[in-house]
Amino acid sequence: MSNLAWLILILGWLIFVLYYISSFLRWGVLTLSSYFWLRYTVLPVLIMPIFAGSEKNMEAVGGAIFAIRQHLDQAFFLSVLGVVFLIVGMGLATFSSGRSYLFDFIESGYSFWQTRTGAWASFLIILLATAGLFALGVRPFEGREFAFENPSIRPVINLYAVILPTTAISLLVYGFAGGRKFIAMGLFCSVLGLMIGTRGASIEALFAFVICIIIAYRYRNLLVFGASAFAFILVAVGLGILRSSAEGQAAPDLIDSLSAQIFYGNNFSDFRDYAWILSGFKGQFYHGMTYLAGYTALIPAFISEFRNDYRTGVITTTLAGLDPEFHAGLRPTLFGEAYLNFGIPGIIFAATLFGFYFGKLHLWVHTDLPRNGLGVRRVACGYIAFLFLFNAVFTPSFYYVYVVSAWLLGGIILSWLLTVPDRTDTNDLPSAG
């Protein structure tokens, strides 16, 4: 990277450290905002650029590393531009009163699934869905591969991959109030994710649940938090290696491959992928076509020529010179899709709007946040709202919004039909809707 890029990177680190110290002194190791900055800004924009140009990436990208190197500065400056206007949007949110209807909808729908009736119903749904997948012929640990081999079944796999972690988190949050059997149900759902091959669904559910507790209870042991985060990364990388073994590849030594998997592999490669995408991008902006393809995610790609041609996964793979028939797509940094569609104005608009609603979300979650099970539930609702916002600006998984919206709407309807009382038992939290 250029000297200017290195200067901005160092300045970014100084700003983040000052922000994090202030946040830590007030809230502990994590807030909804500091979690976002760590995962979606510090890791891809302030850490990974240091490693993105190394020849050690060649195992993952081959000779493309030479083209990637030529676009590292561009990827970095575009990513930083998005961060700047995201901060602008969050600043504007402080002048906005009231909360979004989206937050009310999520909280109301979530409340049913936080009752005994809702918890048992959701667990039964997962069991039936899992049995259905096995009946279709999905092999353990190979759900993603099965989806590629059978495009007509892919929507079913995607549905399962969304509803499984959503239900797992919900069961864990409900069980946290004292129902140990529901904790066990949530853990069981996570294990089912591993069996189907959705590593992200399994790890993400447990990770998100722990994050909700840490935020709600203002956890302050930074050393233990750091060690726990590293342990999650270790497990995620280890599961990736196990999956490689299941696919017939030789499994490397876990410890020896850890640094390579983290810094030079495909687990946290958003920044490198962005540069890779830009290496094939010649200014042919897509003028919102990838967003339209993403927002029409309910139409299966195999029956829609438009969706099949303009899905973000297809576009990013093609720009990198890969075959979309055998590759699910590359991940740029957060506002990379906005740039591919509308250039720099797209980044400014998307980042400002995202920052505005994320700022409102942060205020809603943290204002008078109780240190109990209700607080954990509110953070869980905030996590869902964040994923709604995230998938609105980066659309490969926009299907998530439709599925979880239906799940939440189902909770509202079932709550009305069954008139579930607030008192069900001592394990139930009061209804929020």
Side-chain angles (χ1 to χ4, degrees):
M1 295 197 303
S2 66
N3 291 335
L4 177 59
W6 278 106
L7 179 62
I8 294 174
L9 188 144
I10 293 170
L11 180 62
W13 268 109
L14 291 175
I15 293 172
F16 172 75
V17 168
L18 291 175
Y19 154 77
Y20 188 80
I21 290 173
S22 174
S23 176
F24 177 82
L25 292 175
R26 182 178 181 185
W27 290 98
V29 297
L30 274 189
T31 65
L32 195 66
S33 289
S34 60
Y35 166 71
F36 165 78
W37 289 117
L38 283 165
R39 181 166 180 178
Y40 295 98
T41 299
V42 172
L43 181 58
V45 182
L46 296 182
I47 293 178
M48 297 312 293
I50 300 172
F51 306 96
S54 171
E55 290 189 3
K56 294 181 179 180
N57 288 282
M58 292 185 70
E59 184 174 345
V61 303
I65 186 61
F66 302 107
I68 290 172
R69 285 174 176 172
Q70 297 176 15
H71 293 82
L72 291 178
D73 275 8
Q74 184 184 9
F76 181 75
F77 292 136
L78 291 175
S79 298
V80 170
L81 180 67
V83 172
V84 169
F85 280 93
L86 192 153
I87 294 172
V88 170
M90 291 185 68
L92 293 175
T94 61
F95 299 100
S96 174
S97 60
R99 71 186 198 182
S100 170
Y101 290 117
L102 172 64
F103 308 154
D104 291 330
F105 168 69
I106 291 173
E107 194 173 33
S108 297
Y110 207 71
S111 63
F112 170 77
W113 304 109
Q114 292 295 294
T115 63
R116 176 176 288 274
T117 302
W120 276 109
S122 60
F123 184 64
L124 179 60
I125 290 171
I126 291 299
L127 292 181
L128 292 175
T130 303
L133 286 185
F134 283 122
L136 289 172
V138 177
R139 300 176 296 273
F141 297 106
E142 298 182 21
R144 188 171 64 174
E145 291 73 17
F146 187 84
F148 271 103
E149 295 168 3
N150 303 271
S152 62
I153 305 298
R154 191 175 301 170
V156 178
I157 302 291
N158 291 339
L159 173 63
Y160 187 86
V162 170
I163 204 63
L164 179 69
T166 302
T167 298
I169 296 171
S170 179
L171 287 168
L172 291 168
V173 170
Y174 177 68
F176 184 75
R180 294 182 179 179
K181 60 178 174 292
F182 294 102
I183 292 281
M185 290 178 184
L187 294 174
F188 179 73
C189 288
S190 295
V191 173
L192 286 179
L194 294 178
M195 288 298 295
I196 299 301
T198 53
R199 175 183 53 162
S202 301
I203 299 301
E204 190 72 19
L206 297 177
F207 184 74
F209 173 58
V210 173
I211 292 299
C212 289
I213 295 174
I214 288 174
I215 292 175
Y217 281 84
R218 283 74 152 176
Y219 188 73
R220 291 187 175 276
N221 192 322
L222 191 58
L223 181 62
V224 173
F225 169 72
S228 300
F230 178 78
F232 268 107
I233 293 173
L234 183 66
V235 170
V237 173
L239 289 174
I241 293 173
L242 288 176
R243 186 173 64 188
S244 297
S245 299
E247 295 171 355
Q249 303 175 25
D253 181 81
L254 178 61
I255 302 301
D256 291 343
S257 66
L258 181 59
S259 62
Q261 289 288 325
I262 293 174
F263 298 115
Y264 309 108
N266 296 318
N267 293 289
F268 308 105
S269 59
D270 302 37
F271 179 78
R272 187 194 68 203
D273 286 357
Y274 196 8
W276 197 356
I277 293 165
L278 292 172
S279 71
F281 184 66
K282 308 304 180 184
Q284 69 278 27
F285 297 110
Y286 293 94
H287 305 293
M289 302 296 270
T290 72
Y291 282 109
L292 182 58
Y295 295 155
T296 55
L298 289 180
I299 303 174
F302 76 93
I303 66 172
S304 169
E305 184 176 347
F306 172 78
R307 285 208 68 238
N308 193 55
D309 291 341
Y310 286 99
R311 286 181 296 127
T312 304
V314 171
I315 296 298
T316 56
T317 304
T318 303
L319 288 173
L322 301 172
D323 188 348
E325 291 294 325
F326 301 99
H327 198 291
L330 300 177
R331 302 182 307 268
T333 53
L334 183 55
F335 304 109
E337 185 177 353
Y339 178 75
L340 294 178
N341 281 274
F342 302 110
I344 289 178
I347 293 178
I348 293 173
F349 177 79
T352 303
L353 192 63
F354 180 95
F356 177 77
Y357 280 101
F358 182 72
K360 289 176 68 70
L361 175 60
H362 174 84
L363 292 173
W364 172 59
V365 169
H366 288 279
T367 299
D368 300 322
L369 179 66
R371 298 189 184 191
N372 53 29
L374 283 173
V376 175
R377 183 203 289 187
R378 188 193 297 176
V379 178
C381 290
Y383 180 76
I384 290 176
F386 165 74
L387 290 179
F388 276 28
L389 298 178
F390 178 86
N391 285 296
V393 296
F394 184 55
T395 61
S397 299
F398 194 81
Y399 188 71
Y400 171 92
V401 176
Y402 290 121
V403 173
V404 177
S405 293
W407 182 73
L408 294 168
L409 182 60
I412 294 173
I413 295 173
L414 288 171
S415 180
W416 178 72
L417 290 176
L418 300 176
T419 59
V420 178
D422 294 339
R423 58 170 179 77
T424 51
D425 66 23
T426 57
N427 290 334
D428 291 335
L429 295 172
S431 175

